[in-house]
Amino acid sequence: MANSVLDPLSRRYRFVGSSLATVVYIFLLAPVVVTIPMAFGPTNALEFPPSTYSLDLFRILFTSDSWLLPLYTSLKVAIFSTCAALFVGLPSAYWIARYEFLGKLLISGVLISPLVIPAIVSGLGIYLYFAYIRIGGTTLSLVLGHVMVTLPYVIVMIIAGVQKLDRNLEFGAELMGANPIRMFFTVVIPELVPSLISAAFFAFLLSFDEVIISWFLTGSDTVTLPVKMYSALEWEVSPVIAAVSALLTALSLLACIVTIGLRKSSGEEVS
Amino acid sequence: MHGRNASNGEAIALRGISKAFGSVTVLKDTELTVNKSEFLTLLGPSGSGKTTLLNLISGAIAPSSGEILLAGRDITRMPPRERGIGMVFQNYALMPHMTVFENVAYPLRARREPSEAIRRKVLDALDRVGLNGFDDRKPRQLSGGQQQRVGIARCIVYSPAIIMMDEPLGALDKNLREQMQTEIKRLHHELGTTIIYVTHDQEEALNMSDRICLMKNGEIAQLGTPDELYFRPNSRFVAEFIGESNLLPGKSIAANSVAIDEAEAVIAPSSERGLGSDVLVMVRPEKMHICAPDADPPAGHNVLRGVVEAISFIGGMTRITVKTAHGVSVTAKIISGPACTRPELGSAAKLSWSPTESVVLNG
Amino acid sequence: MNRSIDLKVQSLFMSPAALVAAGIILPPLCYVLITSFQGDTGPLSAYKLIVESSLFRQTLATTLGVASISSVLSLILGYIVALHLARQHPNRRTVLMVLILLPFWTSILVKCFAFTIILGRHGIINNLLSWASGFDVQLPLVLNRVGLFVGMTNFLVPLVVLPVLASLLAIDSTLYRAASVMGAKPARMFWTVTVPLSVPGVVAGLLSVFVMSLGAFVIPALLGGPQDQMLSNLVDFYNRQVLDWPKASAISVILLALASIFIVPMALWRRRKI
Ligand SMILES: Nc1ncnc2c1ncn2[C@@H]1O[C@H](COP(=O)(O)OP(=O)(O)OP(=O)(O)O)[C@@H](O)[C@H]1O
Ligand SMILES: [Mg+2]
């Protein structure tokens, strides 16, 4: 095997490399990990490590309207915008991946653009636009704004999924007499399930964590959890934020595990 | 279908079909007619346009020019699903999320047939390809050969007018391939469907086809029965692509004779080539006779003399290469016998063949 | 393939996306552009006032400086991690990838909150230092440049790791064997094989990270001090405090133009790779 004869020199390099990498891993993970014990700390002080442990912060989070309503708004917006992004993204991503057509570059460029346009620009623009068409501050405006942000990711992920499919499967189905719609539902969608699940997870999480666009779009009764958290961090750092953070981290961990699990299971099917 | 249309036994006809991708023409102005119930094989080297031709017929790509007639009807602009053509793919292209039964039922469901009829037809099709009792399995639980049988069952179940197969046995090993060849031939015989088959295995083509369409660089090099292609090739390319051949360069010196090596006049079938033009005389190695330099070859044979240059024993046949005085290597293939019956390496030998067994080709 | 596309089916598949593109994605950009020309004293007045203001100039300089330095920092850290991941056995790599993906998926607010805890005056770092030194250490680590760089780098590293790792994994491993058979020492192999062949990933990562950091908003607001505000924060300031939308829009247009200088090569680079 290639790695059986390591000369001392390269072993030393490896050791240095691994040590440096470990430091970076710690740096990356520290902010994720720190919030967990804090979430179980006391309600009157932010300290690490907490002097006492309890579930009080979660109790406050789940009983006070000032946190519960944003949580509820965020869930609602995330669910609706994820569904909408999938509904829009699935057929268009399939078509973009499979066919050449007039204006393809233009429309795919526009759809992908929110990925690279600074969020503050989109946020300000959508604020001005929605104020003009008088839907600013509504849940609908949040859902639409979040569709704009999540759609590019959904499209990119589904295009990657479609490119891995065997084209003959789709063509064979059409040759056997299936019309394009029937073919899409009986061949493409079942084959795309893993990509769809990870796209949905990603879109949900993205919407649930979205700050900047929401910062421009929330009205007084449609404050999302991240916006609430952002203002709380800006003005008075309340210990409840630790509980919210732990909740968000748990959600990220779940999404992360699902993604890796899906990638692994689909990878195993290939080999 | 019932002989009442004007096409008169024509299953499919390509009229002046060509295909260009951008500025590259991959199929040149092609005329091709496939008869009803015919087994036609498209044979040719990689990149010669076989798949392109199939894709044009199935509708996977649109032709740059020309028209395609299916049983006399113009289908050039018709979407694939309305053409009523079946296709078997090299990589099977079975739906991995469906059972064997659902895979075979797919075309019938697309046609909204009643479920009772679907069940009956699917089981019948699976029976025909020898997959009784496999209906509940998923494709990945089957071997390659079994998967391709499902691919075939999925085609025959809806009785398409034409079934196209693009290297259907390409992914199988040799023994299985021969067994499947026999089965496909049997199915063709039983069902009488028109089959257009793509392969680049010439033995497969010779074994299975009614006619072979040999392609080269996006053109038909020769279209004919296996016999015609083997014994009457029309060009050097065909002679070399199918089977082994000796190609002896010479000059046409009379209506029916060719001078090889400017020394020996050889009688060859008459050709219309002008006197003095360069030609090739093609003789199949198994039609070459070899005998000792002092023996007499059969009467009327052409004769070349030379020295045995190589002998290779390849089982049932032995290949003997003789180099003539003018440096042309000629190979004879004879039925193997014990070593003592073979000429010795380096010894002189006489090669001979009957003029009727040779073909004159353009040089 | 260029089979004739059924236009009816195409409109069925593409119309929701076309609607979103024309109804949600494009109008905001148009509104920003139009509003930016609606200054009080003529179409270009907002731009003129902005470009002349020292606040804008200073913020622009901060933005470019912070974006460049944090991009380079994250490239260095990201490269170390990508190199380490690329050398692992695939199974182990999948496990280690969690260490990159989890921060990648974690809300930026969670990270900012955590860094105020870690870097604060009575935060974890200062507590550790006090405990180790015996003095009461209160280093200012947050709400200043230091906090901003820590937060930015932490946020950007996963974005560098993914493209760099992809290009490292694409290097044919026989190259390393060939180089070592020819007598190359590890350091030489690194500079002659690894580094040149990972350039595509590095360029892709660096460009995307730089564009991302140009538009940073949350991290400067929560971890930076008043001197460390970037263009996005200035847009928010004009929009929320000053209520001067033409100026807010003009800054947005300038920011977008600035980002486009890097977005365009990024898009071309990506297309070339495909
Ligand atoms: N979509 C395409 N765009 C451009 N060129 C193409 C395309 N499809 C095929 N070609 C070219 O057309 C030529 C014929 O290809 P085709 O697939 O028909 O060959 P083939 O005879 O089936 O070869 P093989 O035996 O390798 O399958 C090739 O040179 C190929 O490169
Ligand atoms: Mg082919």
Side-chain angles (χ1 to χ4, degrees):
Chain A
M1 290 303 287
N3 54 1
S4 55
V5 245
L6 272 182
D7 62 281
L9 196 58
S10 70
R11 202 174 302 174
R12 203 175 315 145
Y13 277 106
R14 251 166 215 244
F15 178 73
V16 173
S18 306
S19 316
L20 285 175
T22 309
V23 173
V24 182
Y25 288 131
I26 292 172
F27 170 59
L28 290 178
L29 280 181
V32 183
V33 174
V34 160
T35 55
I36 308 286
M38 309 276 299
F40 299 94
T43 58
N44 51 3
L46 268 173
E47 42 187 13
F48 188 92
S51 48
T52 58
Y53 288 93
S54 70
L55 287 173
D56 289 347
L57 291 173
F58 286 100
R59 204 164 295 134
I60 297 175
L61 171 62
F62 287 117
T63 50
S64 71
D65 272 357
S66 71
W67 286 103
L68 210 51
L69 287 181
L71 178 63
Y72 175 66
T73 306
S74 276
L75 271 176
K76 198 166 56 177
V77 170
I79 289 171
F80 279 121
S81 59
T82 301
C83 293
L86 283 177
F87 175 78
V88 174
L90 173 58
S92 56
Y94 173 73
W95 205 262
I96 289 170
R98 279 296 187 237
Y99 297 98
E100 293 301 325
F101 55 91
L102 199 70
K104 169 173 165 168
L105 209 60
L106 179 72
I107 192 164
S108 45
V110 172
L111 290 171
I112 301 299
S113 65
L115 213 59
V116 285
I117 290 178
I120 200 86
V121 180
S122 307
L124 177 68
I126 211 163
Y127 166 73
L128 295 171
Y129 171 50
F130 283 175
Y132 184 77
I133 61 172
R134 291 170 198 283
I135 59 167
T138 61
T139 311
L140 175 67
S141 73
L142 278 168
V143 171
L144 293 181
H146 284 202
V147 167
M148 174 169 102
V149 183
T150 52
L151 188 57
Y153 290 93
V154 168
I155 287 182
V156 167
M157 289 170 84
I158 296 180
I159 286 181
V162 172
Q163 280 167 345
K164 275 187 252 152
L165 299 187
D166 177 5
R167 224 187 155 118
N168 283 343
L169 229 57
E170 294 152 46
F171 181 66
E174 283 198 54
L175 203 56
M176 288 186 284
N179 64 35
I181 309 295
R182 183 189 186 89
M183 186 282 290
F184 191 67
F185 278 98
T186 55
V187 181
V188 178
I189 293 185
E191 291 294 297
L192 272 182
V193 165
S195 308
L196 290 177
I197 293 178
S198 31
F201 257 94
F202 201 76
F204 182 90
L205 204 69
L206 216 59
S207 162
F208 201 75
D209 285 347
E210 210 291 323
V211 201
I212 305 181
I213 305 280
S214 313
W215 178 239
F216 282 93
L217 291 179
T218 46
S220 52
D221 49 355
T222 55
V223 175
T224 64
L225 194 62
V227 169
K228 167 79 182 164
M229 199 170 155
Y230 177 76
S231 358
L233 280 171
E234 242 191 348
W235 304 116
E236 23 86 44
V237 178
S238 137
V240 181
I241 297 177
V244 181
S245 297
L247 201 70
L248 292 178
T249 305
L251 204 63
S252 314
L253 187 63
L254 180 71
C256 189
I257 289 168
V258 169
T259 316
I260 287 181
L262 278 176
R263 194 182 300 171
K264 236 188 148 182
S265 72
S266 66
E268 273 165 5
E269 268 180 34
V270 171
S271 62
Chain B
M1 275 245 162
H2 306 284
R4 61 187 167 83
N5 58 36
S7 58
N8 229 351
E10 242 179 52
I12 196 149
L14 307 184
R15 302 269 165 78
I17 282 288
S18 73
K19 178 67 194 175
F21 290 108
S23 60
V24 192
T25 304
V26 296
L27 192 69
K28 291 161 202 156
D29 231 359
T30 300
E31 303 282 334
L32 176 66
T33 304
V34 186
N35 300 318
K36 286 224 166 97
S37 301
E38 186 177 20
F39 194 117
L40 180 98
T41 298
L42 300 177
L43 179 66
S46 191
S48 57
K50 308 180 292 290
T51 301
T52 305
L53 198 58
L54 277 201
N55 285 341
L56 286 165
I57 298 174
S58 68
I61 54 178
S64 307
S65 73
E67 54 184 22
I68 303 169
L69 305 179
L70 184 69
R73 207 154 56 105
D74 187 349
I75 57 158
T76 319
R77 304 270 152 227
M78 189 186 274
R81 66 175 176 282
E82 290 167 19
R83 299 188 178 199
I85 289 175
M87 184 138 181
V88 177
F89 297 91
Q90 175 171 4
N91 64 353
Y92 321 129
L94 302 177
M95 320 283 179
H97 57 283
M98 296 182 186
T99 61
V100 167
F101 184 93
E102 286 305 321
N103 265 289
V104 179
Y106 193 90
L108 304 176
R109 293 210 197 285
R111 289 171 172 69
R112 302 184 189 285
E113 297 209 5
S115 62
E116 195 38 51
I118 291 180
R119 191 163 179 77
R120 186 169 40 76
K121 286 184 184 177
V122 170
L123 294 180
D124 180 56
L126 286 176
D127 191 37
R128 276 184 188 279
V129 298
L131 282 182
N132 255 327
F134 283 81
D135 41 335
D136 280 341
R137 301 239 195 138
K138 286 281 180 69
R140 71 167 154 272
Q141 297 170 305
L142 302 179
S143 71
Q146 289 169 330
Q147 291 189 46
Q148 198 53 294
R149 284 164 205 256
V150 178
I152 295 170
R154 187 172 69 165
C155 267
I156 63 178
V157 75
Y158 64 107
S159 320
I162 296 180
I163 296 181
M164 304 200 291
M165 306 188 176
D166 194 350
E167 306 198 28
L169 311 181
L172 306 180
D173 63 38
K174 194 167 180 295
N175 282 337
L176 193 55
R177 206 153 66 204
E178 280 166 9
Q179 190 189 335
M180 293 287 289
Q181 284 177 16
T182 318
E183 290 203 31
I184 292 176
K185 254 169 95 170
R186 174 181 59 80
L187 278 171
H188 175 242
H189 193 72
E190 280 176 22
L191 301 169
T193 317
T194 311
I195 294 184
I196 304 181
Y197 192 95
V198 170
T199 181
H200 48 223
D201 177 347
Q202 45 152 318
E203 281 182 26
E204 196 168 294
L206 293 170
N207 171 22
M208 302 182 75
S209 325
D210 293 327
R211 281 195 301 162
I212 296 175
C213 174
L214 181 58
M215 316 241 341
K216 178 196 182 187
N217 295 336
E219 278 180 304
I220 297 180
Q222 189 171 357
L223 174 64
T225 62
D227 264 31
E228 281 168 354
L229 263 73
Y230 191 79
F231 292 114
R232 296 273 165 265
N234 65 6
S235 64
R236 176 182 193 144
F237 170 76
V238 179
E240 286 185 327
F241 193 85
I242 297 187
E244 290 176 57
S245 55
N246 289 301
L247 291 163
L248 311 172
K251 265 194 170 36
S252 171
I253 52 169
N256 61 355
S257 89
V258 173
I260 292 178
D261 293 350
E262 295 162 23
E264 323 205 14
V266 172
I267 311 296
S270 62
S271 64
E272 291 107 46
R273 290 169 188 85
L275 289 186
S277 59
D278 288 326
V279 295
L280 289 170
V281 175
M282 193 283 287
V283 187
R284 295 288 179 193
E286 69 273 15
K287 297 296 177 191
M288 276 290 179
H289 296 254
I290 187 160
C291 57
D294 49 351
D296 279 331
H301 271 205
N302 296 310
V303 178
L304 283 176
R305 277 163 235 278
V307 173
V308 176
E309 184 188 34
I311 299 175
S312 61
F313 171 59
I314 48 168
M317 303 293 267
T318 300
R319 203 184 277 129
I320 300 169
T321 306
V322 173
K323 193 167 199 163
T324 67
H326 298 274
V328 181
S329 290
V330 183
T331 302
K333 219 167 163 186
I334 58 172
I335 294 176
S336 299
C340 60
T341 64
R342 301 200 281 257
E344 270 175 44
L345 213 54
S347 64
K350 227 187 223 174
L351 288 167
S352 72
W353 71 93
S354 157
T356 55
E357 303 288 3
S358 57
V359 177
V360 180
L361 305 171
N362 282 334
Chain C
M1 294 209 191
N2 59 347
R3 107 188 209 222
S4 49
I5 292 178
D6 188 339
L7 285 180
K8 243 192 288 175
V9 182
Q10 172 167 316
S11 61
L12 199 64
F13 275 74
M14 288 305 296
S15 55
L19 219 63
V20 169
I24 305 181
I25 301 178
L26 284 179
L29 296 181
C30 300
Y31 268 84
V32 169
L33 201 64
I34 293 170
T35 311
S36 73
F37 291 117
Q38 289 176 340
D40 299 329
T41 56
L44 287 176
S45 63
Y47 286 98
K48 193 157 174 290
L49 289 173
I50 280 299
V51 173
E52 283 169 355
S53 86
S54 62
L55 178 61
F56 171 78
R57 291 186 184 183
Q58 191 199 325
T59 313
L60 179 64
T62 309
T63 303
L64 289 174
V66 170
S68 324
I69 293 176
S70 38
S71 300
V72 171
L73 282 178
S74 60
L75 175 65
I76 295 170
L77 299 191
Y79 205 100
I80 291 172
V81 169
L83 214 51
H84 181 249
L85 285 174
R87 289 197 177 147
Q88 305 304 313
H89 183 270
N91 285 340
R92 207 175 134 81
R93 181 157 58 227
T94 313
V95 177
L96 285 173
M97 278 305 279
V98 178
L99 305 185
I100 299 302
L101 287 178
L102 185 57
F104 179 67
W105 289 75
T106 299
S107 160
I108 195 167
L109 292 171
V110 172
K111 290 187 188 175
C112 287
F113 169 66
F115 275 122
T116 55
I117 306 284
I118 296 173
L119 304 175
R121 238 166 236 287
H122 302 284
I124 298 174
I125 301 271
N126 277 324
N127 280 351
L128 274 179
L129 290 177
S130 307
W131 174 77
S133 67
F135 299 103
D136 182 22
V137 181
Q138 290 197 16
L139 293 175
L141 296 173
V142 78
L143 296 177
N144 56 19
R145 245 341 121 90
V146 178
L148 179 56
F149 280 133
V150 170
M152 291 290 280
T153 310
N154 188 276
F155 171 66
L156 297 173
V157 167
L159 298 174
V160 181
V161 172
L162 299 177
V164 173
L165 178 61
S167 68
L168 286 178
L169 290 179
I171 299 177
D172 185 353
S173 65
T174 51
L175 280 181
Y176 290 110
R177 251 174 281 164
S180 77
V181 167
M182 289 185 287
K185 292 212 175 98
R188 188 176 184 79
M189 217 135 78
F190 177 75
W191 290 111
T192 55
V193 179
T194 314
V195 170
L197 289 176
S198 62
V199 165
V202 168
V203 173
L206 208 52
L207 277 174
S208 71
V209 156
F210 186 74
V211 170
M212 281 296 260
S213 45
L214 280 181
F217 171 72
V218 175
I219 299 174
L222 297 181
L223 296 179
Q227 305 303 312
D228 307 313
Q229 297 306 298
M230 295 172 64
L231 284 176
S232 291
N233 308 98
L234 197 61
V235 172
D236 188 50
F237 172 74
Y238 276 105
N239 173 50
R240 219 165 267 266
Q241 317 287 327
V242 189
L243 303 181
D244 187 338
W245 292 292
K247 275 192 197 146
S249 300
I251 303 168
S252 297
V253 172
I254 294 171
L255 175 59
L256 182 56
L258 198 61
S260 302
I261 299 175
F262 302 93
I263 293 172
V264 173
M266 189 161 80
L268 292 178
W269 182 266
R270 241 181 237 163
R271 278 173 67 77
R272 207 191 65 175
K273 266 202 309 188
I274 297 163

